[in-house]
PDB file of all heavy atoms in Angstrom:
ATOM      1  N   ALA A  40       2.263   2.088  11.919  1.00 97.00           N
ATOM      2  CA  ALA A  40       1.307   1.865  13.001  1.00 97.00           C
ATOM      3  C   ALA A  40       0.002   1.385  12.369  1.00 97.00           C
ATOM      4  O   ALA A  40      -0.440   1.921  11.345  1.00 97.00           O
ATOM      5  CB  ALA A  40       1.079   3.140  13.794  1.00 97.00           C
ATOM      6  N   ILE A  41      -0.617   0.378  12.947  1.00 97.00           N
ATOM      7  CA  ILE A  41      -1.873  -0.166  12.430  1.00 97.00           C
ATOM      8  C   ILE A  41      -3.000   0.805  12.768  1.00 97.00           C
ATOM      9  O   ILE A  41      -3.216   1.147  13.928  1.00 97.00           O
ATOM     10  CB  ILE A  41      -2.165  -1.558  13.031  1.00 97.00           C
ATOM     11  CG1 ILE A  41      -1.050  -2.527  12.643  1.00 97.00           C
ATOM     12  CG2 ILE A  41      -3.530  -2.069  12.578  1.00 97.00           C
ATOM     13  CD1 ILE A  41      -1.075  -3.851  13.404  1.00 97.00           C
ATOM     14  N   ARG A  42      -3.699   1.264  11.742  1.00 97.00           N
ATOM     15  CA  ARG A  42      -4.797   2.219  11.931  1.00 97.00           C
ATOM     16  C   ARG A  42      -6.165   1.601  11.683  1.00 97.00           C
ATOM     17  O   ARG A  42      -7.175   2.114  12.166  1.00 97.00           O
ATOM     18  CB  ARG A  42      -4.607   3.429  11.014  1.00 97.00           C
ATOM     19  CG  ARG A  42      -3.353   4.209  11.312  1.00 97.00           C
ATOM     20  CD  ARG A  42      -3.409   4.757  12.711  1.00 97.00           C
ATOM     21  NE  ARG A  42      -2.152   5.402  13.070  1.00 97.00           N
ATOM     22  CZ  ARG A  42      -1.830   5.680  14.314  1.00 97.00           C
ATOM     23  NH1 ARG A  42      -2.642   5.367  15.303  1.00 97.00           N
ATOM     24  NH2 ARG A  42      -0.678   6.260  14.576  1.00 97.00           N
ATOM     25  N   TYR A  43      -6.214   0.499  10.934  1.00 94.00           N
ATOM     26  CA  TYR A  43      -7.498  -0.137  10.608  1.00 94.00           C
ATOM     27  C   TYR A  43      -7.234  -1.580  10.226  1.00 94.00           C
ATOM     28  O   TYR A  43      -6.240  -1.885   9.568  1.00 94.00           O
ATOM     29  CB  TYR A  43      -8.155   0.595   9.429  1.00 94.00           C
ATOM     30  CG  TYR A  43      -9.424  -0.056   8.940  1.00 94.00           C
ATOM     31  CD1 TYR A  43     -10.631   0.155   9.595  1.00 94.00           C
ATOM     32  CD2 TYR A  43      -9.418  -0.891   7.839  1.00 94.00           C
ATOM     33  CE1 TYR A  43     -11.797  -0.447   9.157  1.00 94.00           C
ATOM     34  CE2 TYR A  43     -10.578  -1.496   7.386  1.00 94.00           C
ATOM     35  CZ  TYR A  43     -11.765  -1.269   8.048  1.00 94.00           C
ATOM     36  OH  TYR A  43     -12.908  -1.875   7.611  1.00 94.00           O
ATOM     37  N   ALA A  44      -8.100  -2.483  10.645  1.00 92.00           N
ATOM     38  CA  ALA A  44      -8.016  -3.884  10.230  1.00 92.00           C
ATOM     39  C   ALA A  44      -9.433  -4.441  10.131  1.00 92.00           C
ATOM     40  O   ALA A  44     -10.299  -4.102  10.945  1.00 92.00           O
ATOM     41  CB  ALA A  44      -7.198  -4.695  11.220  1.00 92.00           C
ATOM     42  N   GLU A  45      -9.646  -5.247   9.137  1.00 88.00           N
ATOM     43  CA  GLU A  45     -10.966  -5.837   8.903  1.00 88.00           C
ATOM     44  C   GLU A  45     -10.814  -7.308   8.564  1.00 88.00           C
ATOM     45  O   GLU A  45      -9.933  -7.687   7.790  1.00 88.00           O
ATOM     46  CB  GLU A  45     -11.654  -5.107   7.747  1.00 88.00           C
ATOM     47  CG  GLU A  45     -13.083  -5.525   7.503  1.00 88.00           C
ATOM     48  CD  GLU A  45     -14.039  -5.062   8.588  1.00 88.00           C
ATOM     49  OE1 GLU A  45     -13.968  -3.900   8.994  1.00 88.00           O
ATOM     50  OE2 GLU A  45     -14.870  -5.886   9.026  1.00 88.00           O
ATOM     51  N   ASN A  46     -11.649  -8.126   9.187  1.00 88.00           N
ATOM     52  CA  ASN A  46     -11.756  -9.551   8.868  1.00 88.00           C
ATOM     53  C   ASN A  46     -10.486 -10.337   9.219  1.00 88.00           C
ATOM     54  O   ASN A  46     -10.129 -11.285   8.527  1.00 88.00           O
ATOM     55  CB  ASN A  46     -12.129  -9.737   7.392  1.00 88.00           C
ATOM     56  CG  ASN A  46     -12.753 -11.092   7.138  1.00 88.00           C
ATOM     57  OD1 ASN A  46     -13.522 -11.586   7.957  1.00 88.00           O
ATOM     58  ND2 ASN A  46     -12.416 -11.705   6.025  1.00 88.00           N
ATOM     59  N   LEU A  47      -9.812  -9.956  10.290  1.00 90.00           N
ATOM     60  CA  LEU A  47      -8.652 -10.737  10.728  1.00 90.00           C
ATOM     61  C   LEU A  47      -9.117 -12.075  11.296  1.00 90.00           C
ATOM     62  O   LEU A  47     -10.189 -12.149  11.912  1.00 90.00           O
ATOM     63  CB  LEU A  47      -7.879  -9.989  11.823  1.00 90.00           C
ATOM     64  CG  LEU A  47      -7.126  -8.739  11.420  1.00 90.00           C
ATOM     65  CD1 LEU A  47      -6.490  -8.097  12.654  1.00 90.00           C
ATOM     66  CD2 LEU A  47      -6.070  -9.035  10.382  1.00 90.00           C
ATOM     67  N   PRO A  48      -8.324 -13.128  11.121  1.00 88.00           N
ATOM     68  CA  PRO A  48      -8.658 -14.404  11.770  1.00 88.00           C
ATOM     69  C   PRO A  48      -8.725 -14.191  13.290  1.00 88.00           C
ATOM     70  O   PRO A  48      -8.015 -13.338  13.839  1.00 88.00           O
ATOM     71  CB  PRO A  48      -7.488 -15.315  11.400  1.00 88.00           C
ATOM     72  CG  PRO A  48      -6.840 -14.678  10.224  1.00 88.00           C
ATOM     73  CD  PRO A  48      -7.092 -13.203  10.345  1.00 88.00           C
ATOM     74  N   ASP A  49      -9.552 -14.979  13.964  1.00 87.00           N
ATOM     75  CA  ASP A  49      -9.766 -14.800  15.397  1.00 87.00           C
ATOM     76  C   ASP A  49      -8.473 -14.775  16.195  1.00 87.00           C
ATOM     77  O   ASP A  49      -8.304 -13.944  17.087  1.00 87.00           O
ATOM     78  CB  ASP A  49     -10.686 -15.897  15.950  1.00 87.00           C
ATOM     79  CG  ASP A  49     -12.118 -15.742  15.467  1.00 87.00           C
ATOM     80  OD1 ASP A  49     -12.496 -14.630  15.050  1.00 87.00           O
ATOM     81  OD2 ASP A  49     -12.852 -16.743  15.509  1.00 87.00           O
ATOM     82  N   HIS A  50      -7.533 -15.674  15.878  1.00 87.00           N
ATOM     83  CA  HIS A  50      -6.311 -15.745  16.676  1.00 87.00           C
ATOM     84  C   HIS A  50      -5.420 -14.519  16.482  1.00 87.00           C
ATOM     85  O   HIS A  50      -4.598 -14.209  17.346  1.00 87.00           O
ATOM     86  CB  HIS A  50      -5.533 -17.040  16.403  1.00 87.00           C
ATOM     87  CG  HIS A  50      -4.949 -17.130  15.043  1.00 87.00           C
ATOM     88  ND1 HIS A  50      -3.639 -16.809  14.781  1.00 87.00           N
ATOM     89  CD2 HIS A  50      -5.482 -17.490  13.854  1.00 87.00           C
ATOM     90  CE1 HIS A  50      -3.397 -16.985  13.494  1.00 87.00           C
ATOM     91  NE2 HIS A  50      -4.504 -17.388  12.921  1.00 87.00           N
ATOM     92  N   LEU A  51      -5.591 -13.777  15.391  1.00 90.00           N
ATOM     93  CA  LEU A  51      -4.852 -12.522  15.203  1.00 90.00           C
ATOM     94  C   LEU A  51      -5.645 -11.331  15.733  1.00 90.00           C
ATOM     95  O   LEU A  51      -5.065 -10.389  16.270  1.00 90.00           O
ATOM     96  CB  LEU A  51      -4.517 -12.306  13.729  1.00 90.00           C
ATOM     97  CG  LEU A  51      -3.488 -13.246  13.133  1.00 90.00           C
ATOM     98  CD1 LEU A  51      -3.271 -12.932  11.659  1.00 90.00           C
ATOM     99  CD2 LEU A  51      -2.179 -13.180  13.890  1.00 90.00           C
ATOM    100  N   ALA A  52      -6.956 -11.380  15.595  1.00 92.00           N
ATOM    101  CA  ALA A  52      -7.799 -10.275  16.066  1.00 92.00           C
ATOM    102  C   ALA A  52      -7.598 -10.054  17.560  1.00 92.00           C
ATOM    103  O   ALA A  52      -7.660  -8.917  18.036  1.00 92.00           O
ATOM    104  CB  ALA A  52      -9.262 -10.552  15.746  1.00 92.00           C
ATOM    105  N   GLN A  53      -7.311 -11.120  18.300  1.00 91.00           N
ATOM    106  CA  GLN A  53      -7.082 -11.009  19.750  1.00 91.00           C
ATOM    107  C   GLN A  53      -5.838 -10.183  20.055  1.00 91.00           C
ATOM    108  O   GLN A  53      -5.732  -9.585  21.120  1.00 91.00           O
ATOM    109  CB  GLN A  53      -6.943 -12.394  20.367  1.00 91.00           C
ATOM    110  CG  GLN A  53      -8.171 -13.245  20.241  1.00 91.00           C
ATOM    111  CD  GLN A  53      -7.914 -14.702  20.609  1.00 91.00           C
ATOM    112  OE1 GLN A  53      -6.846 -15.064  21.056  1.00 91.00           O
ATOM    113  NE2 GLN A  53      -8.929 -15.533  20.410  1.00 91.00           N
ATOM    114  N   SER A  54      -4.868 -10.160  19.134  1.00 92.00           N
ATOM    115  CA  SER A  54      -3.613  -9.432  19.343  1.00 92.00           C
ATOM    116  C   SER A  54      -3.635  -8.031  18.743  1.00 92.00           C
ATOM    117  O   SER A  54      -2.671  -7.291  18.906  1.00 92.00           O
ATOM    118  CB  SER A  54      -2.458 -10.200  18.696  1.00 92.00           C
ATOM    119  OG  SER A  54      -2.372 -11.494  19.214  1.00 92.00           O
ATOM    120  N   LEU A  55      -4.700  -7.687  18.047  1.00 95.00           N
ATOM    121  CA  LEU A  55      -4.764  -6.389  17.362  1.00 95.00           C
ATOM    122  C   LEU A  55      -4.811  -5.242  18.369  1.00 95.00           C
ATOM    123  O   LEU A  55      -5.641  -5.221  19.265  1.00 95.00           O
ATOM    124  CB  LEU A  55      -5.992  -6.320  16.460  1.00 95.00           C
ATOM    125  CG  LEU A  55      -6.227  -4.986  15.752  1.00 95.00           C
ATOM    126  CD1 LEU A  55      -5.085  -4.686  14.777  1.00 95.00           C
ATOM    127  CD2 LEU A  55      -7.561  -4.999  15.046  1.00 95.00           C
ATOM    128  N   VAL A  56      -3.896  -4.297  18.192  1.00 94.00           N
ATOM    129  CA  VAL A  56      -3.882  -3.062  18.966  1.00 94.00           C
ATOM    130  C   VAL A  56      -3.800  -1.928  17.955  1.00 94.00           C
ATOM    131  O   VAL A  56      -2.784  -1.795  17.261  1.00 94.00           O
ATOM    132  CB  VAL A  56      -2.663  -2.996  19.921  1.00 94.00           C
ATOM    133  CG1 VAL A  56      -2.609  -1.655  20.639  1.00 94.00           C
ATOM    134  CG2 VAL A  56      -2.676  -4.146  20.902  1.00 94.00           C
ATOM    135  N   LEU A  57      -4.876  -1.158  17.828  1.00 95.00           N
ATOM    136  CA  LEU A  57      -4.819  -0.017  16.916  1.00 95.00           C
ATOM    137  C   LEU A  57      -3.755   0.938  17.422  1.00 95.00           C
ATOM    138  O   LEU A  57      -3.699   1.255  18.606  1.00 95.00           O
ATOM    139  CB  LEU A  57      -6.173   0.665  16.808  1.00 95.00           C
ATOM    140  CG  LEU A  57      -7.261  -0.163  16.123  1.00 95.00           C
ATOM    141  CD1 LEU A  57      -8.569   0.612  16.074  1.00 95.00           C
ATOM    142  CD2 LEU A  57      -6.849  -0.596  14.735  1.00 95.00           C
ATOM    143  N   GLY A  58      -2.871   1.350  16.524  1.00 97.00           N
ATOM    144  CA  GLY A  58      -1.721   2.160  16.891  1.00 97.00           C
ATOM    145  C   GLY A  58      -0.484   1.310  17.143  1.00 97.00           C
ATOM    146  O   GLY A  58       0.617   1.819  17.232  1.00 97.00           O
ATOM    147  N   GLY A  59      -0.688  -0.012  17.237  1.00 96.00           N
ATOM    148  CA  GLY A  59       0.428  -0.942  17.420  1.00 96.00           C
ATOM    149  C   GLY A  59       1.073  -1.270  16.089  1.00 96.00           C
ATOM    150  O   GLY A  59       0.773  -0.659  15.063  1.00 96.00           O
ATOM    151  N   ASP A  60       1.951  -2.265  16.095  1.00 95.00           N
ATOM    152  CA  ASP A  60       2.648  -2.627  14.863  1.00 95.00           C
ATOM    153  C   ASP A  60       2.596  -4.133  14.627  1.00 95.00           C
ATOM    154  O   ASP A  60       1.916  -4.861  15.350  1.00 95.00           O
ATOM    155  CB  ASP A  60       4.092  -2.107  14.872  1.00 95.00           C
ATOM    156  CG  ASP A  60       4.941  -2.717  15.983  1.00 95.00           C
ATOM    157  OD1 ASP A  60       4.583  -3.776  16.531  1.00 95.00           O
ATOM    158  OD2 ASP A  60       5.992  -2.131  16.293  1.00 95.00           O
ATOM    159  N   ASP A  61       3.329  -4.574  13.616  1.00 94.00           N
ATOM    160  CA  ASP A  61       3.317  -5.982  13.234  1.00 94.00           C
ATOM    161  C   ASP A  61       3.869  -6.892  14.330  1.00 94.00           C
ATOM    162  O   ASP A  61       3.449  -8.034  14.450  1.00 94.00           O
ATOM    163  CB  ASP A  61       4.107  -6.177  11.936  1.00 94.00           C
ATOM    164  CG  ASP A  61       3.413  -5.527  10.761  1.00 94.00           C
ATOM    165  OD1 ASP A  61       2.361  -6.036  10.347  1.00 94.00           O
ATOM    166  OD2 ASP A  61       3.913  -4.511  10.264  1.00 94.00           O
ATOM    167  N   VAL A  62       4.817  -6.400  15.120  1.00 95.00           N
ATOM    168  CA  VAL A  62       5.378  -7.223  16.205  1.00 95.00           C
ATOM    169  C   VAL A  62       4.290  -7.526  17.228  1.00 95.00           C
ATOM    170  O   VAL A  62       4.152  -8.664  17.674  1.00 95.00           O
ATOM    171  CB  VAL A  62       6.592  -6.526  16.854  1.00 95.00           C
ATOM    172  CG1 VAL A  62       7.067  -7.293  18.074  1.00 95.00           C
ATOM    173  CG2 VAL A  62       7.731  -6.385  15.840  1.00 95.00           C
ATOM    174  N   GLN A  63       3.489  -6.534  17.576  1.00 95.00           N
ATOM    175  CA  GLN A  63       2.402  -6.762  18.524  1.00 95.00           C
ATOM    176  C   GLN A  63       1.349  -7.701  17.942  1.00 95.00           C
ATOM    177  O   GLN A  63       0.775  -8.506  18.660  1.00 95.00           O
ATOM    178  CB  GLN A  63       1.756  -5.443  18.924  1.00 95.00           C
ATOM    179  CG  GLN A  63       2.675  -4.604  19.800  1.00 95.00           C
ATOM    180  CD  GLN A  63       2.142  -3.216  19.993  1.00 95.00           C
ATOM    181  OE1 GLN A  63       1.927  -2.495  19.018  1.00 95.00           O
ATOM    182  NE2 GLN A  63       1.941  -2.837  21.240  1.00 95.00           N
ATOM    183  N   LEU A  64       1.107  -7.595  16.654  1.00 93.00           N
ATOM    184  CA  LEU A  64       0.071  -8.415  16.020  1.00 93.00           C
ATOM    185  C   LEU A  64       0.548  -9.836  15.757  1.00 93.00           C
ATOM    186  O   LEU A  64      -0.166 -10.795  16.036  1.00 93.00           O
ATOM    187  CB  LEU A  64      -0.373  -7.770  14.701  1.00 93.00           C
ATOM    188  CG  LEU A  64      -1.457  -8.508  13.930  1.00 93.00           C
ATOM    189  CD1 LEU A  64      -2.767  -8.527  14.712  1.00 93.00           C
ATOM    190  CD2 LEU A  64      -1.656  -7.878  12.571  1.00 93.00           C
ATOM    191  N   LEU A  65       1.759  -9.980  15.212  1.00 91.00           N
ATOM    192  CA  LEU A  65       2.222 -11.282  14.728  1.00 91.00           C
ATOM    193  C   LEU A  65       3.218 -11.977  15.657  1.00 91.00           C
ATOM    194  O   LEU A  65       3.577 -13.123  15.410  1.00 91.00           O
ATOM    195  CB  LEU A  65       2.873 -11.114  13.352  1.00 91.00           C
ATOM    196  CG  LEU A  65       2.000 -10.476  12.276  1.00 91.00           C
ATOM    197  CD1 LEU A  65       2.818 -10.196  11.031  1.00 91.00           C
ATOM    198  CD2 LEU A  65       0.809 -11.367  11.957  1.00 91.00           C
ATOM    199  N   GLY A  66       3.688 -11.293  16.681  1.00 91.00           N
ATOM    200  CA  GLY A  66       4.693 -11.872  17.560  1.00 91.00           C
ATOM    201  C   GLY A  66       6.083 -11.397  17.159  1.00 91.00           C
ATOM    202  O   GLY A  66       6.290 -10.852  16.069  1.00 91.00           O
ATOM    203  N   GLU A  67       7.037 -11.608  18.046  1.00 93.00           N
ATOM    204  CA  GLU A  67       8.383 -11.060  17.874  1.00 93.00           C
ATOM    205  C   GLU A  67       9.046 -11.513  16.575  1.00 93.00           C
ATOM    206  O   GLU A  67       9.487 -10.694  15.776  1.00 93.00           O
ATOM    207  CB  GLU A  67       9.253 -11.429  19.077  1.00 93.00           C
ATOM    208  CG  GLU A  67      10.615 -10.786  19.060  1.00 93.00           C
ATOM    209  CD  GLU A  67      10.583  -9.274  19.142  1.00 93.00           C
ATOM    210  OE1 GLU A  67       9.771  -8.731  19.905  1.00 93.00           O
ATOM    211  OE2 GLU A  67      11.375  -8.628  18.420  1.00 93.00           O
ATOM    212  N   LYS A  68       9.151 -12.806  16.354  1.00 90.00           N
ATOM    213  CA  LYS A  68       9.893 -13.320  15.187  1.00 90.00           C
ATOM    214  C   LYS A  68       9.239 -12.917  13.864  1.00 90.00           C
ATOM    215  O   LYS A  68       9.864 -12.250  13.031  1.00 90.00           O
ATOM    216  CB  LYS A  68      10.001 -14.841  15.278  1.00 90.00           C
ATOM    217  CG  LYS A  68      10.746 -15.469  14.126  1.00 90.00           C
ATOM    218  CD  LYS A  68      10.771 -16.988  14.261  1.00 90.00           C
ATOM    219  CE  LYS A  68      10.812 -17.616  12.914  1.00 90.00           C
ATOM    220  NZ  LYS A  68       9.833 -18.610  12.650  1.00 90.00           N
TER     221      LYS A  68
END
Side-chain angles (χ1 to χ4, degrees):
I41 299 168
R42 297 298 174 196
Y43 175 81
E45 186 71 46
N46 202 38
L47 290 177
D49 290 339
H50 68 97
L51 291 179
Q53 297 168 6
S54 303
L55 176 64
V56 176
L57 292 180
D60 63 19
D61 292 290
V62 173
Q63 290 170 302
L64 180 65
L65 303 172
E67 186 64 40
K68 180 182 150 232

